[in-house]
Amino acid sequence: MKSYVKELMNVFTNHSNSENANWMKKYMRDQFEFLGIKTPERRALLKTFINECGLPEKNEFEEVIKTLWVQPEREYQSIALDLLDKLKKQLQAESIPFIEELVASKSWWDTIDVLAPKILGHILQLNPSLVPSYTEKWIASDNIWFQRTAILFQLKYKEKTNEQLLFDLILRRSDSTEFFVQKAIGWALREYSKTNPESVRNFIMNNELKPLSKREGLKQLQKS
């Protein structure tokens, strides 16, 4: 495992770009350090590395992800997310606490917006009996990133969306003053409006939402 991560990190360190790193750091409000590797190059480098070295073994991939996650440069969390997405078929219900650790650390919109719909959404779709307990835990949390996770985990469900649950979770946090929660509410509504526009329109019109949430939620409806 150590040699796998070491070789992986060597590849990316050798492609660092200080000029890019400076503006990438500013774009992310100085929350993280960067190597300065843009997304297309990062993905191309990872693809080449996987072609040469393969994916982490099943019994060690969590440690690989954790090791990448604690690195100061943001690209390593992005690489961890790319690997998780490629390995998500290996994730089971027992993996949720591990994913929750990632939600709770190095948290920002760019990590949550992958972990919630792509990873946790995938696991919970396969384990629907776990949805009530986990969504209640997340939406009741004081951590805004868990709140955002609860609202966004169904983002890709389309016609399989549990509409009542989505609306209930949104209403639980509709008075939030947190930008990232308001934005999540709007995004979830906008995405679901592609599947059930009338239901979303009625929900927005009949409930008190923050202006940002309402504006974002109506965008797709206004286009059509």
Side-chain angles (χ1 to χ4, degrees):
M1 188 274 289
K2 289 182 179 179
S3 63
Y4 183 95
V5 173
K6 184 177 180 180
E7 289 180 29
L8 179 58
M9 291 179 65
N10 282 341
V11 168
F12 284 87
T13 300
N14 290 337
H15 286 79
S16 61
N17 182 313
S18 59
E19 183 177 345
N20 286 346
N22 288 332
W23 71 256
M24 291 168 82
K25 183 178 179 179
K26 289 179 181 177
Y27 175 75
M28 292 294 279
R29 302 184 188 177
D30 295 323
Q31 294 289 320
F32 311 100
E33 298 298 325
F34 283 86
L35 293 170
I37 302 173
K38 297 180 182 179
T39 299
E41 183 183 7
R42 186 194 79 233
R43 289 178 174 163
L45 289 170
L46 181 60
K47 182 179 180 179
T48 299
F49 180 83
I50 291 172
N51 286 340
E52 295 175 354
C53 302
L55 290 165
E57 296 294 330
K58 185 175 181 179
N59 64 342
E60 63 182 27
F61 86 85
E62 285 193 11
E63 284 305 312
V64 169
I65 299 300
K66 287 180 180 179
T67 302
L68 291 169
W69 207 259
V70 299
Q71 303 307 315
E73 294 85 6
R74 195 56 166 174
E75 286 88 347
Y76 291 121
Q77 284 90 65
S78 297
I79 294 165
L81 292 172
D82 290 338
L83 289 174
L84 267 178
D85 191 40
K86 294 178 183 299
L87 294 164
K88 67 183 178 184
K89 289 183 179 180
Q90 297 183 21
L91 299 173
Q92 306 294 328
E94 296 75 20
S95 304
I96 295 179
F98 160 61
I99 306 301
E100 286 181 312
E101 291 179 26
L102 305 183
V103 170
S105 62
K106 303 273 185 170
S107 310
W108 202 245
W109 62 265
D110 59 328
T111 54
I112 303 307
D113 293 358
V114 176
L115 292 171
K118 285 192 173 183
I119 308 303
L120 288 167
H122 170 75
I123 298 172
L124 289 176
Q125 195 163 35
L126 298 177
N127 299 275
S129 64
L130 298 178
V131 169
S133 60
Y134 275 109
T135 54
E136 174 59 31
K137 174 184 175 183
W138 297 337
I139 203 67
S141 171
D142 292 332
N143 186 321
I144 65 168
W145 302 113
F146 279 113
Q147 295 169 20
R148 188 174 172 99
T149 295
I151 294 164
L152 293 180
F153 86 95
Q154 295 191 91
L155 193 69
K156 304 299 181 183
Y157 282 18
K158 297 182 180 179
E159 69 280 353
K160 295 180 180 179
T161 298
N162 181 333
E163 180 183 291
Q164 189 59 55
L165 176 62
L166 173 64
F167 291 165
D168 287 347
L169 291 170
I170 286 173
L171 291 176
R172 291 277 295 276
R173 291 296 173 181
S174 61
D175 62 347
S176 174
T177 58
E178 293 287 349
F179 171 84
F180 289 111
V181 175
Q182 292 181 28
K183 194 80 169 180
I185 289 171
W187 187 16
L189 289 171
R190 184 173 75 249
E191 193 66 22
Y192 185 52
S193 73
K194 298 174 185 177
T195 299
N196 196 336
E198 283 309 307
S199 186
V200 172
R201 189 190 307 275
N202 290 336
F203 176 78
I204 293 175
M205 293 300 104
N206 292 316
N207 290 281
E208 189 172 337
L209 302 177
K210 294 290 187 182
L212 174 59
S213 299
K214 185 174 182 178
R215 186 167 62 251
E216 290 292 322
L218 287 171
K219 279 184 176 178
Q220 183 66 29
L221 294 170
Q222 290 169 339
K223 285 182 181 179
S224 56

